[in-house]
Amino acid sequence: MVSASQTKRVKGYSVYRPIVYGNEAHPLPPDKRPTGAAADHTHQWTISVKGINDTDISYFIKKVQFKLHAESYTPAIRTIETAPFQVTETGWGEFEIAIKLYFHPESNEKPLQLFHYLKLHPYIGTEAELEAHRLQGKSVTSYSYDEVVFNEPTEAMFEVLTNKGTARVPPRARGAKGEFVEETERMELDKLGAGLRKVKEQTDLIKQKALAKEKEVAELRRRLEE
């Protein structure tokens, strides 16, 4: 039976709770590979959902479901019911991970769907720099900041949210760390810019080859007409 406090809403109130979700990854050294890691796996990574500065979020999140690449991981769906809400695996490729947050029953809220693209490699730098990064075993981090908003929460959930946890932290404020939204966006833009420059270089090279070929054909015609 559902109690009245689990259905009656606190009108006119919204409660915010900050979360951070994303992944850390580091190259696998040949001599320290985890037991069971496939021979072609190059990295170990951890996908997680947590609070700012690792603060507890289990008082309002009951469980977290991570949906991995179905063709690469069995089982592909991992449900974590206790903190820390995270999954650690090994692999070689990057892919999108669907993340579903389930709240405690007294919230009477539907699950919240998030998405994160697994990042194993740094996006910017020369080929030599990227190779040095790999050889040195440096880690890569990719996190996003977000806020879970409970609009007019149930009375029971309002009691939970206002007696535990942290106060609202405005996005991109109070010295938010670089691995969060702004840094991720900058790196994505840098990656896009590097890709566009590469395309331009390849296009210019093709044009140069085409012009050279046209000159060769023109010269051949001139000789045949003599």
Side-chain angles (χ1 to χ4, degrees):
M1 180 178 295
V2 179
S3 67
S5 65
Q6 288 181 286
T7 57
K8 188 176 180 180
R9 299 280 175 171
V10 181
K11 299 297 183 180
Y13 281 88
S14 292
V15 182
Y16 303 77
R17 284 297 174 265
I19 60 170
V20 176
Y21 63 95
N23 79 275
E24 296 182 10
H26 61 84
L28 286 175
D31 57 337
K32 296 182 180 179
R33 298 180 63 83
T35 303
D40 61 345
H41 285 190
T42 59
H43 289 74
Q44 184 173 63
W45 51 264
T46 298
I47 179 77
S48 63
V49 179
K50 53 189 178 181
I52 295 293
N53 296 324
D54 293 324
T55 54
D56 178 37
I57 58 174
S58 63
Y59 67 95
F60 67 92
I61 294 180
K62 178 178 177 57
K63 61 182 180 181
V64 178
Q65 183 185 90
F66 300 93
K67 187 176 181 181
L68 311 182
H69 190 256
E71 296 179 1
S72 303
Y73 298 94
T74 304
I77 296 178
R78 312 288 178 87
T79 302
I80 310 301
E81 299 188 0
T82 57
F85 300 112
Q86 64 184 38
V87 170
T88 299
E89 270 289 357
T90 62
W92 59 267
E94 300 179 334
F95 56 90
E96 186 176 70
I97 298 176
I99 304 170
K100 188 174 288 188
L101 308 183
Y102 291 84
F103 306 106
H104 288 289
E106 57 264 37
S107 71
N108 200 27
E109 298 284 353
K110 295 180 180 179
L112 175 64
Q113 184 77 66
L114 304 170
F115 295 92
H116 173 73
Y117 199 82
L118 180 68
K119 180 181 174 183
L120 303 182
H121 312 282
Y123 286 154
I124 56 177
T126 64
E127 291 187 8
E129 290 172 339
L130 297 180
E131 179 63 13
H133 186 283
R134 184 188 68 80
L135 293 174
Q136 293 169 14
K138 292 183 178 179
S139 62
V140 170
T141 59
S142 177
Y143 287 102
S144 296
Y145 173 92
D146 207 340
E147 291 180 341
V148 179
V149 182
F150 296 89
N151 286 316
E152 298 189 341
T154 63
E155 290 183 345
M157 197 60 178
F158 183 78
E159 178 70 17
V160 169
L161 293 169
T162 54
N163 283 280
K164 296 183 180 180
T166 58
R168 178 188 179 191
V169 178
R172 304 188 187 188
R174 299 185 184 180
K177 294 181 180 180
E179 66 260 33
F180 299 148
V181 178
E182 289 178 307
E183 180 70 7
T184 300
E185 289 179 352
R186 184 188 67 78
M187 294 183 72
E188 291 290 349
L189 290 173
D190 288 342
K191 182 182 179 183
L192 179 59
L196 290 174
R197 289 192 295 272
K198 189 69 174 179
V199 170
K200 185 178 185 304
E201 290 174 1
Q202 293 295 323
T203 301
D204 290 343
L205 181 60
I206 292 173
K207 287 181 178 179
Q208 291 174 8
K209 290 182 177 180
L211 288 173
K213 183 61 66 175
E214 288 178 1
K215 290 180 179 179
E216 290 180 9
V217 172
E219 179 63 19
L220 179 60
R221 285 178 177 175
R222 186 186 64 78
R223 291 179 180 179
L224 291 174
E225 290 174 354
E226 289 179 351

